[in-house]
Amino acid sequence: MRNSRGCHAYVWTAFRKQRLKRGFRLRQLRLEEYVLCYVAEGSGEITVNGKKHGIEAGTLIMLTPAMRIDELSVPSGPLQMYRLHYTRIDAASPAGGKQAAAPGAQKRLAGEAAGAEVFPVASASAFVTKLEELYRLGQEADECLHLRAQSLFYDLLATACEERSARAKGGDSSVAATIDYMKKHFREALDLGALPKLAGLTPSSYCRAFKRAVGMTPGEYLTQLRMEEAKAMLSSSSSANRVKDVARSVGFSDELYFSRLFKKREGLSPQIYMKQAGQRVAIASKLFLQDHFLAIGIQPIAAPSFPNYFPTRTGFPVYLQQRLRGTKALNAERSITPQEVLPLSPDVIVQIDTGQEQGQGEWKKLGETFMFNGYLSWHEYQRQIGTVFNKENQAQRIIDHVQKVEKAAREALLPVTRQGEWTIVRVLENEVRLYGTEGHALTDLYYDKLGFQPDPHVTHASYKPDALMELVRIDPERIILFWSEKEDVERLWPNPLWQSLRAVRENKVYYPESKNWDPWGPLGREYMIEQCTAYFLRAIPSI
């Protein structure tokens, strides 16, 4: 279903709703188009290319051209099905027209399976709603409605592909795939009962694996996703949404239930939360304190960004990009000046009093500036911010939550961490840094919280620069590369000293995509833990 850099597009050609009676049987049909079938009611069996599949309500069937349906039968009761036919258009062809639809003539797209793909849909009710809307729009002759229908058609295909991708991942990684799916679809009427099937696990096994991965049940996690989005909406300085609108936007149809649940979790009603979050806070520090403020329900009007490091439009990391919509990005790769912030009319300006940053004396002259001292850990910042902004309960709640996430991840990673000793390295253009066992948020997380065992020869704090010769002396068993650019790693790799390392020779160098990993704030820390757990459970499949 992939649109490869605009080379391919899809157009739906027919859409049918069928109600098949008990005893219905279809034999021998060869497909000339793509077909997406969704079973809304009843059960039956379908045999495609010689393989039989049981189908029931909530099942999605994805078929591609040249497949052979040997049989479709409904042995008991009626079966209601949506059947959507569509074809691929080759935009790269001179005519820009439809590919030949004869059996076997269409080339299979990368990632498409050779057989029928039959799997349950996690968001069943939302999927049916989209199908019904597409069916209704398909009956209209209006050109504008036709364009809306085509957009909805692509939305359906995207949802189907996401569910297929999640299903394709097995074991613990399939739980991570369902977590990704929940993040994308939590605003919809998610059917949590379908997630175990999506992961290929029994309900009890899935719940145990899910809780082991994130420290809570699927229902609790779904509620958390919705509440975090609700807090972001209520905190937005540009938001004019009523509580009722916010509730519906994050997946709650009952405003009263949403309000009761919100107060139980946050300690105050959505209305009061919105009022308290209305304070205009500007963060003029290089440290990403916006993470800490968002966690307690305060969206800053301005916050530091690193546009040459983070590949997002704003220069915020990907896990904060959406949450900070409406927040002015202050380029922290240079000195942030009062002239950038004061025109925003902030109630409070937050700075870190390091005694080293240029121009701090100028900030101290501003009466509305609050200077935080430097602290050793993220939760010390969180507690101090909570105290200053009268959010002590919310600050403690987020600290407790992250500690649960750390504990659950430690348990999930035991098969990985107990395998040996680990050394953390960062490769830069002109140096190799060797991280110690303490004095840094990264090593605190990995060694102390997640249970990775450091190499006993590594005893220093923070990190050592220019440490390639030190690495040769230690000759570590396993190496984790963090925050390292691909070109810098590729430049280092042929170096004979690097190649002499045991971890390199034995292919035990682990290189996760860690550019957006930041352990210095609660949101970044949780994102990092989740990504790290998924990476290592995939990277070491033999466990």
Side-chain angles (χ1 to χ4, degrees):
M1 303 303 166
R2 194 163 59 199
N3 185 324
S4 179
R5 295 188 180 274
C7 294
H8 304 298
Y10 294 88
V11 177
W12 58 290
T13 58
F15 192 12
R16 302 282 185 270
K17 284 201 299 186
Q18 291 180 295
R19 189 172 183 84
L20 307 179
K21 296 180 179 181
R22 177 181 180 181
F24 173 89
R25 181 167 292 181
L26 170 70
R27 292 181 179 274
Q28 289 295 327
L29 174 66
R30 188 174 291 274
L31 301 177
E32 297 185 355
E33 293 181 302
Y34 294 90
V35 180
L36 184 151
C37 298
Y38 179 78
V39 180
E41 181 184 331
S43 62
E45 293 180 342
I46 186 170
T47 304
V48 182
N49 291 352
K51 184 175 181 180
K52 182 181 291 187
H53 305 270
I55 55 177
E56 59 184 2
T59 299
L60 185 64
I61 308 162
M62 299 180 71
L63 306 167
T64 56
M67 282 187 179
R68 185 186 70 250
I69 299 178
D70 299 307
E71 185 177 51
L72 171 62
S73 61
V74 184
S76 61
L79 182 145
Q80 183 170 320
M81 174 186 290
Y82 293 87
R83 195 177 80 241
L84 177 61
H85 293 245
Y86 56 102
T87 188
R88 192 180 85 187
I89 293 176
D90 188 351
S93 67
K98 190 188 298 183
Q99 279 193 297
Q106 290 191 334
K107 296 179 180 178
R108 189 174 304 280
L109 291 178
E112 288 184 351
E117 296 174 276
V118 181
F119 51 88
V121 173
S123 54
S125 58
F127 200 76
V128 170
T129 300
K130 292 176 183 179
L131 285 167
E132 277 292 335
E133 179 66 8
L134 180 60
Y135 184 79
R136 183 187 68 80
L137 292 174
Q139 312 304 309
E140 304 289 343
D142 184 89
E143 184 176 356
C144 293
L145 293 179
H146 171 73
L147 293 174
R148 288 186 181 277
Q150 184 67 12
S151 174
L152 185 56
F153 161 67
Y154 270 106
D155 187 19
L156 279 164
L157 287 190
T159 300
C161 287
E162 289 167 358
E163 300 237 14
R164 180 179 65 182
S165 298
R167 178 70 176 177
K169 298 176 181 179
D172 284 330
S173 63
S174 66
V175 173
T178 62
I179 291 171
D180 289 339
Y181 184 86
M182 291 172 74
K183 287 180 178 179
K184 293 177 181 177
H185 297 280
F186 69 86
R187 297 175 184 84
E188 304 170 6
L190 274 177
D191 179 7
L192 294 177
L195 293 178
K197 293 182 180 178
L198 194 63
L201 300 170
T202 64
S204 57
S205 297
Y206 176 76
C207 286
R208 286 195 299 271
F210 193 99
K211 193 164 186 179
R212 186 171 63 245
V214 299
M216 62 188 81
T217 67
E220 291 169 341
Y221 186 72
L222 176 60
T223 298
Q224 175 181 292
L225 289 174
R226 289 171 169 172
M227 286 299 174
E228 289 301 322
E229 179 66 11
K231 288 194 293 183
M233 294 181 69
L234 293 168
S235 301
S236 174
S237 58
S238 61
S239 175
N241 292 319
R242 298 174 301 169
V243 172
K244 183 177 182 180
D245 298 325
V246 171
R248 288 181 175 176
S249 295
V250 299
F252 292 97
S253 58
D254 187 334
E255 178 191 355
L256 293 178
Y257 173 71
F258 165 74
S259 296
R260 287 196 299 269
L261 186 60
F262 191 97
K263 186 172 183 178
K264 181 179 179 181
R265 289 174 59 91
E266 302 301 324
L268 66 169
S269 70
Q271 291 85 352
I272 296 176
Y273 187 94
M274 188 187 304
K275 183 177 180 180
Q276 287 189 1
Q279 194 168 24
R280 295 175 64 80
V281 177
I283 302 170
S285 164
K286 289 182 181 293
L287 193 62
F288 264 54
L289 291 179
Q290 57 260 51
D291 189 323
H292 301 75
F293 278 93
L294 288 169
I296 59 173
I298 298 175
Q299 180 174 1
I301 59 172
S305 70
F306 290 84
N308 290 318
Y309 182 77
F310 294 114
T312 56
R313 177 181 54 82
T314 57
F316 296 134
V318 294
Y319 61 89
L320 293 180
Q321 174 79 358
Q322 285 298 108
R323 292 174 179 265
L324 290 172
R325 55 187 183 272
T327 296
K328 180 178 179 179
L330 302 174
N331 188 347
E333 293 168 357
R334 51 173 175 72
S335 294
I336 300 171
T337 66
Q339 289 72 30
E340 295 177 76
V341 177
L342 291 178
L344 301 174
S345 302
D347 297 320
V348 179
I349 300 173
V350 174
Q351 262 272 341
I352 300 297
D353 189 3
T354 63
Q356 298 176 352
E357 289 190 28
Q358 186 178 2
Q360 282 196 334
E362 189 176 1
W363 289 104
K364 290 180 180 179
K365 294 177 183 177
L366 301 175
E368 58 272 86
T369 297
F370 187 89
M371 288 283 182
F372 282 98
N373 293 321
Y375 297 104
L376 294 177
S377 65
W378 74 269
H379 50 81
E380 288 180 285
Y381 282 103
Q382 193 69 68
R383 283 199 178 95
Q384 182 68 2
I385 291 171
T387 300
V388 170
F389 289 87
N390 298 316
K391 299 262 190 176
E392 293 96 333
N393 291 339
Q394 291 94 318
Q396 188 58 52
R397 192 175 292 113
I398 194 67
I399 291 170
D400 293 343
H401 168 71
V402 173
Q403 288 175 345
K404 289 180 181 178
V405 172
E406 290 171 346
K407 183 178 179 182
R410 185 184 183 102
E411 293 176 0
L413 286 167
L414 269 175
V416 175
T417 57
R418 67 188 176 197
Q419 287 201 35
E421 296 159 352
W422 304 79
T423 302
I424 297 175
V425 170
R426 182 179 184 183
V427 180
L428 297 167
E429 183 177 1
N430 297 312
E431 69 169 296
V432 176
R433 290 182 180 177
L434 173 60
Y435 283 80
T437 57
E438 59 183 4
H440 194 283
L442 175 65
T443 51
D444 164 70
L445 175 60
Y446 268 75
Y447 293 144
D448 184 42
K449 305 301 182 184
L450 299 184
F452 286 80
Q453 297 302 308
D455 189 296
H457 298 96
V458 177
T459 57
H460 60 276
S462 191
Y463 65 82
K464 286 185 178 180
D466 299 317
L468 182 55
M469 291 304 299
E470 180 73 4
L471 275 173
V472 172
R473 184 186 69 79
I474 294 171
D475 197 19
E477 180 183 1
R478 287 173 172 80
I479 293 175
I480 311 174
L481 295 182
F482 277 102
W483 301 322
S484 304
E485 300 286 354
K486 182 180 179 182
E487 55 269 26
D488 296 331
V489 174
E490 290 176 345
R491 190 183 302 113
L492 171 68
W493 210 265
N495 188 311
L497 293 176
W498 180 259
Q499 285 293 318
S500 71
L501 299 177
R502 174 175 45 157
V504 178
R505 296 195 314 269
E506 297 179 0
N507 196 29
K508 292 181 180 178
V509 177
Y510 301 92
Y511 184 25
E513 177 51 67
S514 57
K515 197 161 192 174
N516 285 281
W517 293 9
D518 185 0
W520 271 107
L523 304 179
R525 198 172 181 90
E526 184 172 3
Y527 175 84
M528 182 176 177
I529 290 169
E530 187 179 290
Q531 295 290 311
C532 158
T533 303
Y535 168 79
F536 278 104
L537 292 178
R538 289 194 307 266
I540 310 181
S542 60
I543 59 176

